[in-house]
Amino acid sequence: MTGTTTARAHTASARGPIVVTATITPGPDSFTLAGAHPYDTSRHSRIGGGLTRSGLGLPAGEVDVRIDKHWNLTESLDLAVACAILAAGGRIDREALDRVTLLGGMGWSGHLDDVMGIADLAHTASKGDRRTVLLPATQSLRVHRLDFGLDVVGVRSVREAADFLNRQANQA
């Protein structure tokens, strides 16, 4: 890596939108996460482990992630954090990432877990300017039936989310 790269991912809480920013700078491999809920002590390991076990891995260098206004939300931020890291590392197209809202918790293997309050999160997402929402496949039909005017895309893992975003970039 020759310079600093940054990517932003968008997610939502019932109280409003949330922006996740990942920055990668040249240096020793590390991963820091700022702005996460203080009681969610496993997020750092879960996301790093999930990226590794899904075959995507953490990018080389100093990976710093900041979550703005997390609104005490914990479980639905994982997919946005993971995709911001991958985009900053050049593994997901940053422009495609900027056009979607990501909702989903991530398991240790990189698979997506259902999130509580998905209807409220989708409702918040529908108020924004991003019409596509990526969320756990097991919850996609429910959100689609809510008819918030969103393009609902269900994915089973962070790898499927990355593949979808890169396909979107190639179609643009």
Side-chain angles (χ1 to χ4, degrees), residues 63-94:
V63 178
D64 296 304
V65 178
R66 186 182 76 246
I67 302 169
D68 293 331
K69 297 180 183 175
H70 64 76
W71 308 107
N72 290 328
L73 193 66
T74 58
E75 62 184 19
S76 68
L77 300 173
D78 294 357
L79 181 59
V81 170
C83 287
I85 291 169
L86 293 172
R91 298 181 187 153
I92 291 178
D93 183 83
R94 282 182 269 189

Side-chain angles (χ1 to χ4, degrees), residues 26-83:
D29 292 348
S30 63
F31 174 31
T32 58
L33 182 60
H37 193 284
Y39 297 117
D40 188 358
T41 57
S42 66
R43 178 182 313 276
H44 180 276
S45 299
R46 195 173 59 240
I47 292 170
L51 285 171
T52 299
R53 287 179 193 88
S54 68
L56 297 167
L58 283 166
E62 297 176 6
V63 178
D64 296 304
V65 178
R66 186 182 76 246
I67 302 169
D68 293 331
K69 297 180 183 175
H70 64 76
W71 308 107
N72 290 328
L73 193 66
T74 58
E75 62 184 19
S76 68
L77 300 173
D78 294 357
L79 181 59
V81 170
C83 287

